[in-house]
Every structure is written in structure tokens, then in C-alpha cells.
Amino acid sequence: MQDKTALVTGAASGIGAATGRRFVAEGAAVVLADRNLEAAEALAAELRDGGGRAVAVRYEATSEDDNRAAVQVAVDTFGGLDLLVTAAGIGGARSLNRPTVIDPADPLEAFLTAPIDVWQLVLDVNLTGTLLALQAGMAQMVRQGRGGAVVTLASVAAKHPEMTGPGSPGYGVSKAGVWMLTKVAAHHGARAGIRVNAVGPGIIDTPLVAPLKEKPGVLDHMLRDVPMQRTGTADEVAHCIHFLCSDGASFVTGELLHPDGGFFTG
């Protein structure tokens, strides 16, 4: 990744932040895009203090203008865009400052009464936001004429309904959409030398999983289906993202890689 430029969305925490750190460690210049500009700037400063090249930009995933602007920052600051990671995403009700219902007494009732505004917001951020990032980033790669690599963030919830809470059906649906969107983008991007892959993490110790820790026994119950019997780390997912963006994956496109502790071995 030496001398390449990456744009990472959702870069202020979790998988996005771990990816930004990994890319800088590998020699890339990184634009850290996040709605939490203060946290993104703090990470950029940390990386620069360590000798890396990084800048932060305020970013709303659902804004077409913000996606284009983030790409333009990469061009203006570092001369172009080679790598794109779309890590911006939300889980559900907490994004609207509502309590998250974990392990409801009646899952069917929770599904039947799931708020439509939460459903729409999750789809807007996770799925439409990914499309907007792909359009802006891949368009720049086409203009440059030297290809590029993209990694989107799906989830094991894209394939397994038990990993989506019944009160927040939009999460799994949005991630299933990201999975197919990745394949569509890979199909069309290949002729321009642009590889597009996805990671579908399992239960990773990030702020998105924090609600599972608040009710005793819930996380332990979910981990019973994970052969490695633990949560993953953001760094472990970032390693997978790094591989998919590297020359080591030069003949890999349209794939979904699961860092999930063996969840899909059964």
C-alpha cells in the first residue's frame, strides 16, 4: 500500500478506525471520513504524530455531496484515490436515541411493530450510503484510469436472520443489500480494473455490539453459535480488509469474506 491513497468512511471508531490505522501502518495516505469530526480529527492527529499521512473530514453517509467532497479531499490532499472502504453504518433504534430491545419476550410482536422510521434510516445509511460512496469513489478511480480496490461492510446478518433483532429488521436486510450491491459493483467495475469485495463480520467487539453486553447472558447466548467462543476484534476485521485491498487479492472480486470465528462452519 506504499504511496496509495485510501478513503475510509465511518473511520472515527470501531472497524473503520482500525482500518485507517492498518492502512497508514502499511504506508498508505488515508482520508478519515465520519460524522463525528472531532473523533476523526483526533485519530488523524494520532496517525500524523506517528509519522503517517492522514486527514479527517466531516461526513454523512446519506449525503451525495459529502461523498463527493470526501473523494475530492483525497484528490486535493494526496493526489488521487486508490482504495475505498465503506465502514459507515448503524444498527438501529439507538441511532434515533431510542432504547434498543434485546431479547424481546415476544419476537413476533417486536417484528410486527418495528418502527418504520428506524427501518428507513438503517436502509438509508447502510445501503444507500454504501451506494453513494461506491459511485463517488469508483467514478474517481475511472477518471484516473489506474483501477483500484474497494471493500464494503456487510455482516453475518446478511445471511442469518437470527443475527438481526426482530425489532430492527432493517439491519440484516440492509447488509444483505450491501452484499448484492458489492457483486453488482464488482461486475461492472472489473472492466475498469476496479475490484470490489465485502467483509461480513461476525460478533465484533465494537460500539455497535455494546447493547448486547447490557443484558446479562445475551452475548454469551449468541456466542454459543461461534466455534471460537469469543467476539472478534476490530483489528482482526481490518486485517481482512487490508488483504482484500492488497495486491495479494489481485484476482479476487465480488467476494464476501467472513471474519466470524467459524460462525458459518455449520
Side-chain angles (χ1 to χ4, degrees):
M1 289 191 177
Q2 192 68 39
D3 298 325
K4 292 187 176 181
T5 297
L7 166 61
V8 181
T9 72
S13 65
I15 293 169
T19 300
R21 289 190 174 97
R22 179 63 192 270
F23 281 11
V24 167
E26 295 292 334
V30 179
V31 177
L32 306 168
D34 201 283
R35 68 182 310 181
N36 186 343
L37 180 57
E38 183 177 357
E41 286 181 331
L43 176 57
E46 170 196 318
L47 295 174
R48 289 195 299 269
D49 288 345
R53 294 174 296 154
V55 296
V57 59
R58 191 182 188 284
Y59 170 86
E60 291 287 347
T62 56
S63 167
E64 190 171 1
D65 288 343
D66 280 9
N67 277 282
R68 290 175 176 170
V71 170
Q72 194 60 47
V73 168
V75 174
D76 294 343
T77 308
F78 300 119
L81 182 67
D82 305 292
L83 312 171
L84 170 64
V85 179
T86 64
I90 59 175
R94 285 201 170 193
S95 300
L96 290 176
N97 296 316
R98 298 181 191 170
T100 299
V101 178
I102 301 295
D103 193 24
D106 187 344
L108 176 57
E109 178 65 17
F111 172 74
L112 295 176
T113 59
I116 295 303
D117 58 344
V118 175
W119 160 275
Q120 191 61 60
L121 178 63
V122 172
L123 289 177
D124 287 346
V125 173
N126 292 358
L127 183 52
T128 303
T130 299
L131 172 63
L132 294 175
L134 290 174
Q135 289 179 326
M138 291 175 67
Q140 177 60 32
M141 293 174 184
V142 170
R143 285 191 291 270
Q144 293 170 177
R146 59 176 187 257
V150 180
V151 175
T152 65
L153 266 291
S155 168
V156 293
K159 297 181 178 180
H160 201 293
E162 286 295 323
M163 299 299 286
T164 294
S168 298
Y171 183 73
V173 172
S174 70
K175 293 302 186 178
V178 167
W179 179 28
M180 180 51 68
L181 177 60
T182 300
K183 291 181 175 293
V184 171
H187 180 78
H188 296 298
R191 65 170 56 189
I194 302 171
R195 298 185 300 103
V196 188
N197 293 289
V199 290
I203 305 172
I204 309 299
D205 192 8
T206 67
L208 198 65
V209 174
L212 300 178
K213 300 178 179 180
E214 296 177 0
K215 188 171 182 179
V218 172
L219 184 57
D220 289 340
H221 176 78
M222 296 183 71
L223 289 175
R224 288 191 300 184
D225 293 325
V226 179
M228 292 183 72
Q229 291 288 289
R230 66 172 177 85
T231 58
T233 69
D235 285 341
E236 288 174 315
V237 180
H239 296 328
C240 294
I241 293 171
H242 168 257
F243 164 69
L244 290 173
C245 283
S246 75
D247 291 342
S250 58
F251 201 50
V252 180
T253 195
E255 295 296 331
L256 175 57
L257 177 62
H258 287 296
D260 63 5
F263 181 78
F264 280 118
T265 58

